[in-house]
Amino acid sequence: MVSGSVVKRAFRFRFYPSAAQEVELLRTFGCVRVVYNRALEVRTAAWFGEQRRVNYVQTSALLTEWKKTDGLGFLNEVSSVPLQQSLRHLQSAFAAFWEKRARYPRFKSRKRGRASVEYTRSAFRWRDGRLTLAKMAESLDIVWSRPLPEGAEPSTVTVSRDPAGRWHVSILVETTIIHAPPTDHVVGVDAGITSLVTLSTGDKITNPKRERRDRERLARAQRALARKEKGSHNRVKARLRVARVHARIADRRRDLLHKLTTRLVRENQLVVIEDLAVRNMLRNRSLARAISDASWSDLRSMLEYKCGWYGRDLVVVDRWLPSSKTCSDCGYLLDTLPLRVREWTCPGCGASHDRDVNAARNILAAGQAVTACGAGVRPTRR
């Protein structure tokens, strides 16, 4: 019997708004930003001034009052759904902060970051494969790079514009993903810097050489930006060129990670990784850029949800496991193993080891031991 998982999955597409649609969306972006920042200001003042928490219901009531004032009457010109959703997002941000899963929420900036608004089912129309948002007369001109699952009905639509000026729409649907056929293959994954990842099979996956060309292009664009006068139109255009190079680098990195994680999940029944403290490791100034480029957090996130989708097992072993300096053949443990040493010979059994391959094999062995004991397995999201 073929089994599967019912999941909520987002499909992201590029679209090209008309002049009227762009004006409406930019106006909505601005209103969402104003509502979010005002609500954050109220909640911050209440907490630090009175040690009082303000919840979503109270900020929603404040939004109703703001719409009645002369200075904020423009909030009535856009759909109310994205405004309410921004308050829900702020509530989620505070919940994550109280549970110590995230930092204190920050104010949204007009000039920096990715602008986005979220529409729920009552604020858009989906008919015959065409999407029309509230306050708009025409449907969006979406480039359908892949089809939506047959019979899928969107529940939420998120419209965004990245710093490079590209418009995207993310459509959330509920669909069933068939589990991959069972297999006996298992793999340990060691995330690294010289190689993106090293597998227990001995394979090493490196970033493509074109990454260096992208970095050179970025450096030239940043130097050109630094020479432009602040506040000038030329500086705006130069900043856009820098953003486009960043977007190109991010797209290529994301594409590589998706292909890699999909391959690992489809080929192996068990995938074992390390529980890396990426935020702490970024404090090392010598390695921060290389660690950021490797996107270890994104790699882990993709493995987690894809293992859940395709019926695979993901085990996360302790970050303090001495995987690099333990002999995978006899278990001999070195006292120290400097980062510059990439190959070493075991004093116990004389086996020669590649540092990263040896670490991946030890990670796999630890994951298999955890699985056999039935404890310490990190549940995958399904």
Side-chain angles (χ1 to χ4, degrees):
M1 180 178 178
V2 179
S3 61
S5 301
V6 178
V7 300
K8 289 186 176 181
R9 186 175 181 181
F11 291 81
R12 186 165 171 259
F13 303 96
R14 188 88 181 266
F15 79 97
Y16 297 87
S18 64
Q21 289 173 340
E22 184 171 356
V23 170
E24 179 63 30
L25 288 172
L26 291 177
R27 182 188 296 119
T28 306
F29 285 161
C31 292
V32 165
R33 184 178 62 253
V34 168
V35 170
Y36 185 95
N37 287 344
R38 278 184 170 266
L40 177 55
E41 184 178 5
V42 169
R43 297 183 67 149
T44 301
W47 174 251
F48 288 100
E50 308 171 26
Q51 292 295 300
R52 176 173 58 88
R53 293 189 182 185
V54 177
N55 58 28
Y56 162 75
V57 175
Q58 293 169 309
T59 54
S60 182
L62 287 174
L63 174 59
T64 303
E65 297 300 321
W66 293 339
K67 289 183 176 182
K68 298 177 182 179
T69 62
D70 295 335
L72 296 175
F74 59 86
L75 295 178
N76 294 291
E77 299 175 3
V78 302
S79 172
S80 62
V81 172
L83 305 183
Q84 294 288 348
Q85 290 300 101
S86 70
L87 295 180
R88 290 189 174 92
H89 293 164
L90 180 60
Q91 177 66 30
S92 299
F94 269 101
F97 170 71
W98 299 131
E99 295 171 6
K100 298 182 179 180
R101 293 185 288 106
R103 298 180 180 180
Y104 194 82
R106 296 183 297 178
F107 290 95
K108 292 184 180 293
S109 171
R110 177 188 302 178
K111 297 182 179 180
R112 297 183 179 180
R114 168 180 166 271
S116 66
V117 292
E118 186 176 270
Y119 295 82
T120 56
R121 195 66 184 88
S122 61
F124 66 85
R125 183 173 68 251
W126 175 259
R127 185 176 300 168
D128 299 328
R130 302 187 69 85
L131 178 66
T132 306
L133 302 178
K135 302 288 185 178
M136 293 185 185
E138 300 177 351
S139 60
L140 298 182
D141 181 15
I142 301 175
V143 179
W144 298 101
S145 54
R146 53 180 171 168
L148 291 177
E150 186 177 355
E153 286 289 329
S155 59
T156 304
V157 169
T158 302
V159 177
S160 62
R161 190 182 71 159
D162 63 17
R166 302 178 302 178
W167 292 87
H168 294 93
V169 57
S170 180
I171 302 176
L172 184 68
V173 300
E174 188 174 271
T175 183
T176 300
I177 298 180
I178 304 302
H179 288 172
T183 178
D184 294 331
H185 296 165
V186 295
V187 68
V189 182
D190 177 58
I193 294 176
T194 54
S195 298
L196 179 61
V197 296
T198 301
L199 308 182
S200 55
T201 58
D203 295 337
K204 292 189 176 184
I205 289 83
T206 59
N207 283 319
K209 294 182 179 179
R210 59 176 179 267
E211 185 79 7
R212 180 175 299 177
R213 294 197 296 271
D214 287 336
R215 287 298 174 191
E216 293 172 353
R217 187 180 294 110
L218 176 62
R220 288 196 300 270
Q222 289 175 327
R223 287 195 296 267
L225 174 62
R227 291 193 294 266
K228 300 298 184 289
E229 182 180 352
K230 291 185 178 180
S232 66
H233 290 293
N234 285 336
R235 186 175 179 85
V236 174
K237 291 188 288 186
R239 183 184 293 114
L240 183 60
R241 283 193 290 270
V242 171
R244 286 173 177 167
V245 178
H246 274 298
R248 179 186 176 90
I249 294 172
D251 287 347
R252 288 186 167 186
R253 182 188 301 125
R254 190 181 304 109
D255 179 68
L256 175 64
L257 290 178
H258 271 299
K259 290 177 179 177
L260 171 62
T261 52
T262 299
R263 170 195 157 190
L264 292 176
V265 171
R266 285 182 175 174
E267 293 179 354
N268 300 278
Q269 186 66 38
L270 172 67
V271 181
V272 188
I273 60 175
E274 270 187 305
D275 182 20
L276 298 175
V278 178
R279 181 177 296 179
N280 295 338
M281 298 171 73
L282 288 174
R283 296 174 183 172
N284 186 331
R285 295 183 178 181
S286 301
L287 301 177
R289 181 169 181 173
I291 293 172
S292 298
D293 284 343
S295 297
W296 292 338
S297 297
D298 291 341
L299 175 70
R300 172 171 172 171
S301 176
M302 291 179 185
L303 284 174
E304 285 181 342
Y305 74 74
K306 289 181 181 181
C307 282
W309 283 359
Y310 296 107
R312 302 309 199 195
D313 297 318
L314 178 69
V315 174
V316 184
V317 300
D318 196 297
R319 70 184 60 170
W320 303 113
L321 175 74
S323 56
S324 296
K325 57 183 182 180
T326 301
C327 177
S328 56
D329 288 350
C330 70
Y332 185 90
L333 177 62
L334 296 177
D335 293 332
T336 59
L337 185 65
L339 189 60
R340 65 178 182 275
V341 178
R342 310 311 304 175
E343 295 181 357
W344 59 281
T345 301
C346 175
C349 64
S352 297
H353 295 297
D354 177 284
R355 179 194 184 101
D356 298 331
V357 175
N358 179 67
R361 290 172 178 168
N362 283 323
I363 290 171
L364 174 59
Q368 289 176 314
V370 167
T371 304
C373 296
V377 179
R378 192 180 192 87
T380 56
R381 292 179 288 182
R382 298 184 183 273

